[in-house]
Amino acid sequence: MKRREFLLATASAAVLPLRAFAAGPFELRAQKVTANILPADTYPASYLQGFNGTVPGPEIRVRLGDTVNVRLVNELDEGTAVHWHGVRLENAMDGVPILTQEIVDPAASFDYQFTPKDAGTFWYHSHYLSHEQVARGQMGPLVIDEVDGPDVDHDIVAMLTDWRFDPDGVLMEDYGSMHDVAHAGRLGNFAKAFLPDVALRIGERVRLRLINASVDRIFPLGFAGLEGRIVAIDGMPLAASRSFDGLVLAPAQRADIIADVTGRVQVFMPSQPDNYVLGEIIAEGEVARRTVEVPTLPPHSVPSPTKVNQELVLTMQGGAMSRGHAGDNIWAFNDVSDLQSAPFASFERGETAKITLVNETSFAHGIHLHGHHFYEVNPDGSMGDLRDTTLVQAGEQRDILCVFDNPGRWMLHCHMLSHSVGGMKTWVYVA
Ligand code: C2O
Ligand code: CU
């Protein structure tokens, strides 16, 4: 097989698992899964790791105000734990081994119960050996519906994923290679958006929830067959919608778009000479298009920053082609690699802090804070987007403002999971 064909092989639209939330504890079984990621007509099924027989795992969807009640059952032969990415929840439910809970051993289970404070697009993923377990498929969508959501005909999730297969279509297991870890992470050779198998008609209005569930890949995105606006970023509604132009999702970032179908829907990575199509949905038939503009979503309830009480600097260091640092792994923050017994910073509950994220390295990093959302500060000093993961390009820096109002021990790490395992992680304490 020619490598080029392999790289450009188009993903067929896959069936996203059914919504799977019931009132009682919903069993989320971490297990080995055999599934087709590559086109099934040419390649064999792959041996993966997912939940409830599927990769991505089942869509968990509740309404704002409802309680998520999930029993994680570990059917793997190694430990695991599940993190609810972007959700402002109680620390004990955050799913981070050692920091917030014990590892869930094989055959053991753990009950996660929390009532999300925000409607929006979130996701769940393993937070144990995550550079391996997420790369094998241990992730899924978590959607919190608004009580009074926007008027759309379809509300669907696109999980963006990135895989590394050998020429026979077998998933490669070279996790944590020094070369990958020290560069841009473990980038795959096949990327795919998992989209549901829905019937779309031209003229219908769709809410598409894009989730970058890849381990290390940054996705620049474009769309065909859709005319609309971005209405939310990292689960949080935008006060004013914006155009699709220049949309980029770093690992773990999300964007919600609301758009009218104008033809066959495609989600692609812009590239030359042809775009790399990540997934598509065929549109058949036609209905009259709505005359009203794309609406904005109901506002969020994240507290606004007040007077800055602490100003901190977090410098990303290490990796290939960078100067050294004093940490004892490939990457470091402020000359310290990996989680130490002391936090990077401590906050009084409700305190506003400004953190200057300085990227001294030769690679981009997507920095994620658990348990909180924060504001990016624009270069002109104005308040930017509310996010839980911010992309800082090589050699650049960005200030963020955060109200640390959620008590507990929260991880702060690069969400390029290969960088995280390579040492780019720390934690903060909120009293
Ligand atoms: Cu999405 Cu620490 O994780
Ligand atoms: Cu990184």
Side-chain angles (χ1 to χ4, degrees), residues 132-402:
E132 291 185 22
Q133 293 194 346
V134 176
R136 289 195 175 105
Q138 250 184 282
M139 43 72 187
L142 170 62
V143 175
I144 315 298
D145 282 320
E146 293 86 9
V147 172
D148 197 6
D151 167 38
V152 294
D153 300 304
H154 304 273
D155 181 331
I156 57 183
V157 173
M159 291 294 271
L160 309 181
T161 61
D162 181 47
W163 307 88
R164 188 182 284 184
F165 290 104
D166 75 10
D168 296 323
V170 176
L171 195 67
M172 292 178 73
E173 301 276 348
D174 54 343
Y175 306 108
S177 95
M178 286 284 262
H179 183 274
D180 289 339
V181 169
H183 290 78
R186 187 172 181 275
L187 300 178
N189 50 16
F190 183 76
K192 168 170 178 165
F194 286 83
L195 286 161
D197 194 11
V198 288
L200 295 182
R201 289 180 294 179
I202 291 170
E204 285 184 322
R205 185 160 279 184
V206 178
R207 178 177 187 168
L208 182 61
R209 301 167 183 268
L210 300 144
I211 302 172
N212 184 350
S214 75
V215 178
D216 294 293
R217 183 176 292 281
I218 300 168
F219 282 104
L221 291 173
F223 306 94
L226 289 175
E227 256 175 49
R229 309 277 291 171
I230 303 171
V231 295
I233 289 286
D234 285 5
M236 294 295 174
L238 293 171
S241 67
R242 61 177 75 144
S243 91
F244 300 156
D245 294 350
L247 178 61
V248 171
L249 293 183
Q253 290 186 329
R254 289 89 65 212
D256 289 33
I257 65 176
I258 296 181
D260 296 335
V261 177
T262 58
R264 171 194 295 245
V265 170
Q266 289 186 327
V267 179
F268 59 81
M269 277 194 281
S271 68
Q272 294 295 337
D274 300 308
N275 293 323
Y276 188 106
V277 177
L278 295 162
E280 60 183 11
I281 307 178
I282 285 159
E284 271 170 338
E286 191 157 359
V287 296
R289 201 165 154 179
R290 282 174 181 69
T291 49
V292 290
E293 306 261 285
V294 165
T296 51
L297 299 172
H300 64 77
S301 61
V302 177
S304 292
T306 51
K307 195 176 93 51
V308 173
N309 272 8
Q310 282 200 60
E311 294 195 23
L312 300 154
V313 177
L314 191 71
T315 303
M316 299 156 230
Q317 301 162 311
M321 300 172 287
S322 306
R323 50 186 143 112
H325 57 78
D328 53 11
N329 202 338
I330 293 171
W331 301 97
F333 283 134
N334 297 358
D335 281 311
V336 179
S337 300
D338 293 302
L339 294 189
Q340 304 294 324
S341 51
F344 155 65
S346 296
F347 305 98
E348 292 306 321
R349 197 182 311 181
E351 194 176 353
T352 297
K354 181 173 101 179
I355 305 179
T356 303
L357 303 171
V358 180
N359 186 351
E360 234 185 36
T361 79
S362 302
F363 297 90
H365 302 286
I367 304 299
H368 171 49
L369 172 66
H370 284 218
H372 300 77
H373 270 64
F374 54 80
Y375 284 92
E376 294 179 339
V377 179
N378 295 324
D380 67 359
S382 61
M383 295 250 282
D385 289 338
L386 184 57
R387 289 198 167 278
D388 58 52
T389 305
T390 184
L391 181 62
V392 187
Q393 299 292 347
E396 299 196 344
Q397 68 174 63
R398 172 170 299 119
D399 290 350
I400 60 170
L401 281 172
C402 183

Side-chain angles (χ1 to χ4, degrees), residues 83-86 94 96 123 125-127 130 252 368-370 388-389 411-415 417 420:
H83 169 57
W84 311 93
H85 184 110
D94 198 41
V96 179
W123 64 300
H125 62 81
S126 163
H127 217 290
S130 56
H368 171 49
L369 172 66
H370 284 218
D388 58 52
T389 305
M411 268 193 85
L412 175 61
H413 65 94
C414 180
H415 217 290
L417 297 173
S420 184

Side-chain angles (χ1 to χ4, degrees), residues 364-365 414 416 419 424:
H365 302 286
C414 180
M416 277 85 169
H419 292 169
M424 198 181 278

